[in-house]
Amino acid sequence: MSSEQALPLDGELAAVAARMSGLLLSRESVDSVLELIVSLASTTITAAAGVGVTLVDAEGGLVTTTASAPLVREADALQYELAEGPCLAALEGCSPQRIDDVATERRWTRWCAAVAGSGLRSVVTAPMVTEEGCHGAIKIYATAPGAFGPSDERKLATFAERAAVLVANARAYERASRFSEQFRLTLRDRDLIAMAKGYLMGRDGLGEEAAFDRLLSLARVEGTSPAGTAARLLGSEPREG
């Protein structure tokens, strides 16, 4: 039987949102956010035999990034292999999907037949959607038939909406972090090149433009970037002593 308390209520969702915000502030990764989502679902849904998250990657591919049991990865792998199943349908239609019993389900018959031997009997899944698009889906598998009902679908959909915002924020934070690191490296390279130009100007009596051309020529000969050649030149510069 489905329970009205099977999924976290708004207060619990708000609490986990605060925990996840703390994770982001402490520079944790998307994986940490996903692990927290799965952990919360696993501890609050007593019928769950396995909980997992499928993410849509930058190229539009699907990957099970977090799973609480081998059953989840096995069932998901079969969905990806057969190109059918409730999780894929949730992603394609941006709507929750539920299977009361894989033994009698008329949709996704190949997938249902493939997972029947694993002990999986019922499923509920919901997409994680924001204004930016669909980031993935949360899915809950059970080994008993009829483990989930309409109320579970609604609650999981609400949970997935909250989780989608947190995942989107975590991804944005990681993108910003990568951009910041790239920007830092760009500034470092620029400074190396500027110092190497000054070194060549002083050593060889060159003007600024000629020194830059010399640096580019050396980089081509050495098969490295201008910044790499600049670092070599500065590293070999005699120290005053």
Side-chain angles (χ1 to χ4, degrees):
M1 292 274 302
S2 171
S3 169
E4 288 296 322
Q5 300 300 320
L7 291 171
L9 300 180
D10 282 347
E12 291 169 293
L13 290 170
V16 82
R19 287 178 63 192
M20 290 180 180
S21 297
L23 284 173
L24 299 184
L25 291 174
S26 64
R27 296 178 178 267
E28 293 290 344
S29 66
V30 173
D31 287 345
S32 296
V33 174
L34 297 175
E35 287 171 5
L36 189 53
I37 291 170
V38 167
S39 175
L40 179 69
S42 297
T43 56
T44 56
I45 306 168
T46 56
V51 180
V53 174
T54 291
L55 280 191
V56 180
D57 64 25
E59 289 73 39
L62 304 178
V63 59
T64 301
T65 57
T66 310
S68 66
L71 174 70
V72 176
R73 294 194 182 277
E74 293 167 7
D76 286 356
L78 285 168
Q79 289 195 69
Y80 308 150
E81 179 184 338
L82 298 172
E84 68 170 43
C87 179
L88 300 189
L91 292 171
E92 292 167 3
C94 287
S95 62
Q97 302 290 331
R98 190 179 86 247
I99 294 178
D100 294 328
D101 192 346
V102 297
T104 57
E105 178 60 54
R106 295 183 180 276
R107 299 168 295 174
W108 318 301
T109 54
R110 290 185 302 153
W111 181 78
C112 287
V115 299
S118 68
L120 188 155
R121 293 295 295 274
S122 52
V123 184
V124 62
T125 180
M128 298 187 296
V129 183
T130 66
E131 292 180 355
E132 299 174 358
C134 187
H135 298 275
I138 304 172
K139 80 295 301 268
I140 307 170
Y141 295 132
T143 54
F148 312 110
S151 64
D152 297 314
E153 278 191 57
R154 292 191 296 271
K155 291 172 185 176
L156 183 59
T158 299
F159 183 68
E161 288 174 4
R162 303 287 184 93
V165 173
L166 296 166
V167 170
N169 288 345
R171 284 180 150 180
Y173 186 93
E174 285 199 339
R175 287 195 299 269
S177 296
R178 288 195 296 270
F179 176 80
S180 296
E181 177 63 14
Q182 184 59 47
F183 184 64
R184 186 188 69 79
L185 292 175
T186 298
L187 291 179
R188 184 203 64 183
D189 290 350
R190 185 199 64 181
D191 290 344
L192 281 172
I193 289 170
M195 289 188 289
K197 283 195 304 183
Y199 170 67
L200 290 172
M201 290 167 66
R203 188 191 71 178
D204 300 338
L206 301 173
E208 182 176 358
E209 186 173 344
F212 185 60
D213 289 342
R214 176 72 59 81
L215 180 64
L216 294 180
S217 178
L218 288 171
R220 284 194 294 270
V221 170
E222 296 173 357
T224 64
S225 66
T229 297
R232 183 190 62 75
L233 286 171
L234 295 170
S236 64
E237 183 178 5
R239 294 185 180 182
E240 295 180 4

